[in-house]
Amino acid sequence: INAEWPLRLGDNDKTKVDLVNLITGKEGLVADDTSFNGLKDQEDTLVLLVDGVRFLMYRSLLLAHPETMLGRMFDENNSRLVRPNEKGEYRIENVSWDIFKIILGFYRIRELAVPYDANMNDIKEACDYFLIPFNIQTIVSENLSSLMHELSNDGAKKKFECFLQSDIVPKMAETAMKGERECHIVCLKDEDVVDWDEEYPPSVGEDQLTIIKSSEINRFLKYIENRGIAKAVLQEKGLKKIRIGIEGFPTHKEKVKVKQHGKIQVTYFYVQRPFIVMSWEKEELRSRHVDFANVSTFQLVQTDANNTDQVEVNTPPINLNAVDEIEQIRQQSQ
């Protein structure tokens, strides 16, 4: 029969016959308290209570997909673990009824018909929860933009996991073996050539800088969505102070200029390349704490190039503890 879905049913006999026909046709249904009194006692019929809404479903349709959560849930081997309530209903948690209605389509025709205005991210999370594949074979939607976005997010996470193990973690280990507890990685293209002047290198902190040459990683990190996913993956793995973006990186000398008094000024050519900054320091607040009661001012001796006399400059210590106090206040507020 042709009917709007979800279908709210009455308790007359004709409605019950129509309900049997619809279930036989592998349609999931929504019913009120009195519509399925004559059906819920049937051996193969299940009543699923989701977000306050009842669905009637054949157990055999669910068991036809044992790889899914519902297929495992109603397997005979798990009968002791899954029990109905006093009304014979099985409660399904962590999903709204309108999303669950879409999920049931997989057991009917192996496809999820997703409305255009549906939240594709909610559909993706529901598929993950119910162990249903989320791909172009199972998802049918006119909103291709949302579908492709979720597929890209899923693919980007898997891709960055590969980059992390093959390229990034080895560089982190090299830095850690030097006693460092943070790492600054710049991702160059395969064809990039770094030619720094040994006598006049650029001021980029090359002692803490690590370079990865990979056009694939470079292309991956050019998308802001991919950078967000990469940051989330690093956070899941316990890393802190993570910054991922694009910055200027000096590759080679562009020009050399001799200024007054023979001072040489070297200008470098910069290219925009992605970077990753992260830390695995455990005691970062204590590392920056200074006991000022035991620190005195010191004398910095500078030599004037045009005068052989030495100039003494008294330099007080910087109040590094002020930074810690601000961070502690922020952490307490969070």
Side-chain angles (χ1 to χ4, degrees), residues 12 21 81 91 110 137 144 206 229 232 236 250 256 258 263 269 288 324:
N12 57 72
N21 292 336
L81 302 177
R91 184 181 298 275
R110 294 179 178 269
Q137 284 76 37
L144 289 179
E206 60 272 13
I229 290 174
E236 291 174 359
V256 179
V258 180
K263 185 177 180 180
F269 179 81
R288 286 180 288 178
D324 293 341

Side-chain angles (χ1 to χ4, degrees), residues 28-253:
L29 297 174
V30 181
D32 58 27
D33 288 331
T34 60
S35 62
F36 48 81
N37 289 334
L39 289 171
K40 64 182 181 181
D41 295 332
Q42 296 184 11
E43 182 179 355
D44 197 36
T45 303
L46 297 172
V47 180
L48 308 179
L49 182 60
V50 182
D51 196 22
V53 178
R54 292 171 176 82
F55 291 83
L56 299 178
M57 195 69 181
Y58 267 148
R59 183 192 299 267
S60 58
L61 295 179
L62 304 181
L63 296 181
H65 300 276
E67 73 283 358
T68 67
M69 191 195 80
L70 292 177
R72 298 176 183 177
M73 180 177 175
F74 293 102
D75 186 270
E76 292 182 357
N77 296 328
N78 298 323
S79 58
R80 295 182 179 180
L81 302 177
V82 181
R83 295 185 179 276
N85 59 17
E86 64 278 3
K87 295 182 180 181
E89 304 162 344
Y90 294 89
R91 184 181 298 275
I92 307 296
E93 304 287 353
N94 302 321
V95 64
S96 63
W97 74 268
D98 53 336
I99 297 296
F100 187 73
K101 174 184 68 175
I102 298 173
I103 290 295
L104 288 182
F106 176 78
Y107 298 93
R108 181 171 62 90
I109 56 174
R110 294 179 178 269
E111 290 182 351
L112 279 68
V114 182
Y116 188 91
D117 56 350
N119 188 318
M120 196 65 70
N121 182 254
D122 291 344
I123 301 296
K124 172 66 169 59
E125 292 180 353
C127 286
D128 292 342
Y129 179 73
F130 289 102
L131 303 179
I132 292 176
F134 185 91
N135 51 48
I136 59 175
Q137 284 76 37
T138 57
I139 306 298
V140 178
S141 176
E142 292 296 323
N143 193 343
L144 289 179
S145 176
S146 296
L147 176 57
M148 293 301 113
H149 178 75
E150 290 302 325
L151 291 175
S152 291
N153 288 345
D154 195 35
K157 183 175 182 180
K158 296 176 181 178
K159 194 70 174 177
F160 186 74
E161 292 275 6
C162 295
F163 290 148
L164 193 61
Q165 295 301 320
S166 62
D167 299 276
I168 299 176
V169 169
K171 294 295 184 181
M172 294 171 60
E174 290 179 8
T175 303
M177 292 176 67
K178 298 177 182 177
E180 299 289 343
R181 299 189 181 272
E182 58 184 12
C183 188
H184 184 165
I185 297 176
V186 176
C187 304
L188 302 181
K189 294 182 179 181
D190 293 331
E191 63 269 20
D192 287 337
V193 177
V194 179
D195 184 17
W196 292 353
D197 190 292
E198 295 182 0
E199 188 175 358
Y200 302 101
S203 301
V204 293
E206 60 272 13
D207 293 339
Q208 292 79 31
L209 193 64
T210 301
I211 296 175
I212 292 179
K213 278 196 172 185
S214 172
S215 296
E216 194 174 6
I217 298 179
N218 183 282
R219 183 171 58 255
F220 176 86
L221 292 176
K222 77 175 184 178
Y223 298 106
I224 189 171
E225 293 95 338
N226 287 354
R227 297 200 294 269
I229 290 174
K231 183 174 182 179
V233 171
L234 294 175
Q235 288 174 336
E236 291 174 359
K237 298 186 179 300
L239 297 168
K240 300 180 293 184
K241 295 193 295 184
I242 302 168
R243 292 188 298 113
I244 304 178
I246 296 178
E247 64 183 358
F249 180 80
T251 55
H252 60 274
K253 291 185 296 183

Side-chain angles (χ1 to χ4, degrees), residues 241-290:
K241 295 193 295 184
I242 302 168
R243 292 188 298 113
I244 304 178
I246 296 178
E247 64 183 358
F249 180 80
T251 55
H252 60 274
K253 291 185 296 183
E254 189 173 29
K255 61 181 179 179
V256 179
K257 182 179 180 181
V258 180
K259 303 182 71 174
Q260 293 182 350
H261 307 294
K263 185 177 180 180
I264 298 178
Q265 181 181 16
V266 179
T267 303
Y268 279 83
F269 179 81
Y270 281 73
V271 293
Q272 296 295 313
R273 294 293 181 261
F275 71 91
I276 303 174
V277 177
M278 58 199 133
S279 171
W280 49 89
E281 185 179 10
K282 297 296 184 182
E283 304 289 345
E284 55 181 322
L285 293 180
R286 294 180 61 183
S287 296
R288 286 180 288 178
H289 177 73
V290 180

